[in-house]
Amino acid sequence: MVAFAILIFLFLGSVEGFSTKSQPCTYDKQKTCKPALATAIFSTVSFLLGAFTSVVSGFLGMKIATYANARTTLEARKGVGKAFITAFRSGAVMGFLLAANGLLVLYIAINLFKLYYGEDWEGLFESITGYGLGGSSMALFGRVGGGIYTKAADVGADLVGKVERNIPEDDPRNPAVIADNVGDNVGDIAGMGSDLFGSYAESSCAALVVASISSFGINHDFTAMLYPLLISSVGILVCLITTLFATDFFEIKAVKEIEPALKKQLIISTVLMTVGIAIVTWIGLPSSFTIFNFGTQKVVKNWQLFLCVAVGLWAGLIIGFVTEYYTSNAYSPVQDVADSCRTGAATNVIFGLALGYKSVIIPIFAIAVGIFVSFSFAAMYGIAVAALGMLSTIATGLAIDAYGPISDNAGGIAEMAGMSHRIRERTDALDAAGNTTAAIGKGFAIGSAALVSLALFGAFVSRASISTVDVLTPKVFIGLIVGAMLPYWFSAMTMKSVGSAALKMVEEVRRQFNTIPGLMEGHAKPDYATCVKISTDASIKEMIPPGALVMLTPLIVGTFFGVETLSGVLAGALVSGVQIAISASNTGGAWDNAKKYIEAGASEHARTLGPKGSDPHKAAVIGDTIGDPLKDTSGPSLNILIKLMAVESLVFAPFFATHGGLLFKIF
């Protein structure tokens, strides 16, 4: 963080050669604005604020989750309903913490910066963009580091424990079991939390930047200016009402009510939110205003802006449900994958990959419609508020998402504490529902990342004063094709990191089984600490190359090849990253649930595929192990790659516009 903060200061300060004199504004040459040095200082401050908020949110989320998992296990003695409420409420605490923290810090920062900037709103909101960059750069480490941590432990524990030694999952004799349970919290809670916080901070920043050069900013209409923050604050209130539906209005009595209750959360919050947005739009915005659209001002009515937000909100819901259809074992896609395990692991892998590729189709159409509608109505501002619409129910989304790892851990604790079989069945039921909802959460994160990244792209293009990005010029096209390659390079790094870390873990677990006498019989305790250390070291060390790839690409491209090539790189990475992210997440989720489908043996079809330990089950475990790095490391980290590159380009845009493109200047 410190190193990168210094970089931001040096790059942005050098735009005007560190002068402290006021400059003419970028968009309106008649007015004078604060010097570039001020923007450099304030961008650095807001970067540190964003990073700090992100870290604190992840830390608190993990703290809550580790309090909650043991309580959920204890509540499971009273029945499934009580355990569900505990797990869900703790997830909700984290969701609200994140949404509220993000909003509070952003609002305070805007008001404090205003004391210095006064009338110069253009500079004010340009320096606020650092907030999104800070949030996302921490999310990169949470997601990538967390993903490597959790999957090294998971793959290591499964391969030796389940496949070689035939002991159940979460068995305390398995040395990697503690690292596996810790990993769930690191990857799914800290990673997911900081990821969504990053999206949220960035879409707010993108909207604010575009608004500051539209009529809101020119006429200094503060209420309308803060429309993005109003959407989020209504979101918090709506989610508060929505969570009561799960915990207080309807009590859960039986196992089969869990998943519908979680899905109802999404629907209720979306419907209520639609009403909430309508009210805020009607009260907070003038009936007609203009939005900056690549050099011109476009007239927009307030109902059009309402439609932009609503389109994002509903697109998110569609993406969530499509993800669920492809990853839940209640529907035919996953059952087909489970069925293909009859003929071994190879067919399972083929079917799973096909399912992942196929699951991309509908979400992409949903995103495309969302982009078209919101852009037609309100240009780039429309896309930014559509992304905010998708993220407005973030508190509910996170509650549903954090619920998964909490109930997963609760199962682990029940197994390790040697509690009765009945309790383990209840926690398994909670966990199975959590698995699907985690996939829904990842769908949301990817969909919102696509919209956020496009909005940031628009803000970047406006800031770097490019009026059109022409694909036919060689400068842009080479950027496009290289940008489309980056997600593959990034995935290769993360997958390989998981593989090599898992290899170390497998060797360590085997060594302990072979050298500690009485371990299999349960007389001796395994050495859990060594396994935790392997995961921790691997995640910290292996996080650096993928992180450097994402952080340095925009700097190198912008400095040496200029803004046109950089706009190509951003577009390319966005277009290919979204596809890989969706397909990787869903393939992994489907394999995981196919394995659970066979293990649970709930239907006639599942029972023919055998109990645990049969050949189809072994094939399913192999699929699940391949899918682990896909769904928890590569897939979810990709949405950070897309967003982070775009927000970084936006923050450094003043520098690239003035000094960028060194190579083309030489020739």
Side-chain angles (χ1 to χ4, degrees):
M1 271 167 63
V2 172
F4 204 69
I6 293 169
L7 256 185
I8 293 177
F9 177 70
L10 292 177
F11 269 71
L12 291 180
S14 69
V15 172
E16 304 284 355
F18 296 102
S19 81
T20 48
K21 290 196 289 294
S22 293
Q23 305 292 340
C25 296
T26 320
Y27 300 98
D28 185 0
K29 296 289 182 222
Q30 274 76 47
K31 293 199 184 111
T32 52
C33 285
K34 300 290 185 203
L37 189 65
T39 306
I41 295 169
F42 283 107
S43 291
T44 312
V45 172
S46 59
F47 166 75
L48 291 171
L49 272 178
F52 179 70
T53 313
S54 189
V55 171
V56 167
S57 310
F59 173 76
L60 291 174
M62 281 171 72
K63 220 168 172 50
I64 293 159
T66 43
Y67 276 128
N69 49 23
R71 295 181 183 190
T72 306
T73 316
L74 289 174
E75 287 291 299
R77 295 182 302 185
K78 301 177 192 162
V80 128
K82 288 270 187 283
F84 171 79
I85 288 181
T86 310
F88 183 78
R89 276 194 181 145
S90 16
V93 172
M94 182 200 166
F96 287 119
L97 245 177
L98 238 152
N101 263 342
L103 192 62
L104 181 71
V105 177
L106 185 58
Y107 183 69
I108 291 174
I110 289 175
N111 279 312
L112 289 179
F113 286 12
K114 226 168 99 193
L115 297 178
Y116 170 78
Y117 276 104
E119 292 297 292
D120 172 19
W121 283 19
E122 193 182 289
L124 165 65
F125 290 103
E126 193 172 292
S127 55
I128 286 285
T129 49
Y131 185 69
L133 178 60
S136 238
S137 52
M138 285 305 108
L140 174 78
F141 299 123
R143 264 293 195 212
V144 179
I148 294 169
Y149 187 107
T150 168
K151 286 307 126 181
D154 196 357
V155 172
D158 283 0
L159 284 181
V160 185
K162 285 203 283 204
V163 181
E164 291 176 17
R165 297 278 168 167
N166 263 335
I167 56 178
E169 194 166 357
D170 292 327
D171 191 298
R173 289 172 294 180
N174 190 337
V177 66
I178 298 286
D180 183 10
N181 278 322
V182 173
D184 289 331
N185 292 310
V186 183
D188 283 350
I189 291 197
M192 183 72 184
S194 50
D195 179 2
L196 280 177
F197 168 75
S199 285
Y200 166 80
E202 283 157 348
S203 48
S204 306
C205 291
L208 290 169
V209 167
V210 179
S212 70
I213 50 178
S214 306
S215 64
F216 300 153
I218 297 165
N219 306 335
H220 294 294
D221 182 351
F222 197 59
T223 311
M225 188 66 219
L226 293 189
Y227 182 63
L229 279 75
L230 288 173
I231 298 175
S232 318
S233 39
V234 170
I236 295 179
L237 295 175
V238 163
C239 292
L240 241 163
I241 299 166
T242 312
T243 42
L244 296 178
F245 279 96
T247 53
D248 295 87
F249 299 154
F250 304 112
E251 195 102 345
I252 285 184
K253 304 279 192 295
V255 169
K256 60 177 188 296
E257 294 171 11
I258 299 173
E259 221 170 289
L262 289 170
K263 286 195 298 207
K264 273 188 207 128
Q265 285 287 298
L266 288 174
I267 297 170
I268 295 169
S269 64
T270 305
V271 171
L272 289 177
M273 192 61 208
T274 312
V275 179
I277 297 167
I279 296 169
V280 166
T281 312
W282 186 60
I283 295 175
L285 291 179
S287 60
S288 171
F289 42 89
T290 64
I291 294 289
F292 183 83
N293 178 20
F294 301 126
T296 56
Q297 294 281 355
K298 176 183 170 117
V299 179
V300 181
K301 303 269 186 290
N302 58 5
W303 58 268
Q304 291 174 313
L305 212 48
F306 160 70
L307 285 178
C308 293
V309 187
V311 114
L313 185 65
W314 287 90
L317 190 69
I318 292 169
I319 293 173
F321 280 122
V322 170
T323 313
E324 194 236 354
Y325 172 72
Y326 280 107
T327 55
S328 163
N329 50 26
Y331 303 104
S332 60
V334 172
Q335 291 173 8
D336 291 346
V337 172
D339 193 60
S340 70
C341 292
R342 286 176 200 281
T343 45
T347 40
N348 179 24
V349 170
I350 293 168
F351 270 70
L353 286 171
L355 175 143
Y357 296 148
K358 195 175 159 195
S359 69
V360 175
I361 303 169
I362 301 172
I364 291 296
F365 276 121
I367 292 173
V369 169
I371 289 171
F372 185 79
V373 170
S374 49
F375 193 93
S376 313
F377 280 145
M380 276 303 168
Y381 188 69
I383 292 175
V385 291
L388 271 168
M390 197 180 277
L391 289 164
S392 58
T393 51
I394 182 176
T396 299
L398 269 171
I400 291 175
D401 206 78
Y403 158 86
I406 290 172
S407 44
D408 189 350
N409 273 186
I413 290 171
E415 180 75 47
M416 288 187 277
M419 293 169 87
S420 73
H421 190 63
R422 264 204 347 270
I423 292 181
R424 181 72 220 222
E425 271 173 10
R426 287 173 188 162
T427 54
D428 273 353
L430 290 174
D431 185 23
N435 232 354
T436 306
T437 54
I440 296 179
K442 289 191 184 95
F444 259 99
I446 296 165
S448 65
L451 287 177
V452 168
S453 160
L454 189 62
L456 290 164
F457 177 70
F460 161 71
V461 171
S462 311
R463 181 60 191 85
S465 45
I466 315 170
S467 49
T468 52
V469 177
D470 185 0
V471 185
L472 296 176
T473 52
K475 268 189 202 177
V476 177
F477 193 80
I478 56 167
L480 206 58
I481 202 161
V482 170
M485 174 274 300
L486 289 173
Y488 288 92
W489 189 359
F490 184 80
S491 300
M493 285 178 172
T494 48
M495 298 279 285
K496 201 162 175 234
S497 303
V498 172
S500 60
L503 202 69
K504 288 192 194 113
M505 188 67 80
V506 167
E507 283 165 4
E508 172 60 27
V509 175
R510 276 185 193 151
R511 184 191 68 74
Q512 291 197 26
F513 272 126
N514 294 334
T515 57
I516 299 179
L519 180 57
M520 274 305 281
E521 293 73 44
H523 300 315
K525 261 194 169 169
D527 175 10
Y528 298 124
T530 316
C531 291
V532 173
K533 189 170 170 14
I534 290 178
S535 256
T536 313
D537 292 351
S539 66
I540 291 172
K541 197 167 97 252
E542 302 280 355
M543 188 161 77
I544 297 167
L549 174 73
V550 180
M551 302 288 266
L552 295 178
T553 303
L555 289 179
I556 293 168
V557 174
T559 309
F560 293 112
F561 298 93
V563 279
E564 276 100 349
T565 311
L566 182 54
S567 59
V569 169
L570 294 179
L574 167 65
V575 168
S576 90
V578 174
Q579 331 286 341
I580 306 174
I582 296 177
S583 66
S585 294
N586 290 352
T587 293
W591 276 329
D592 191 354
N593 274 341
K595 176 203 68 174
K596 285 215 166 61
Y597 174 73
I598 295 175
E599 284 176 356
S603 67
E604 203 48 55
H605 174 230
R607 282 193 285 277
T608 59
L609 294 169
K612 287 186 182 181
S614 66
D615 283 341
H617 176 251
K618 280 193 170 131
V621 169
I622 293 175
D624 175 36
T625 314
I626 302 172
D628 271 339
L630 282 174
K631 78 173 194 307
D632 287 327
T633 313
S634 296
S637 318
L638 277 173
N639 48 33
I640 297 184
L641 167 124
I642 330 172
K643 294 182 310 196
L644 191 54
M645 281 178 31
V647 72
E648 196 180 322
S649 307
L650 173 60
V651 171
F652 286 110
F655 176 78
F656 297 150
T658 339
H659 301 301
L662 294 179
L663 288 181
F664 295 130
K665 283 179 183 164
I666 297 166
F667 298 125

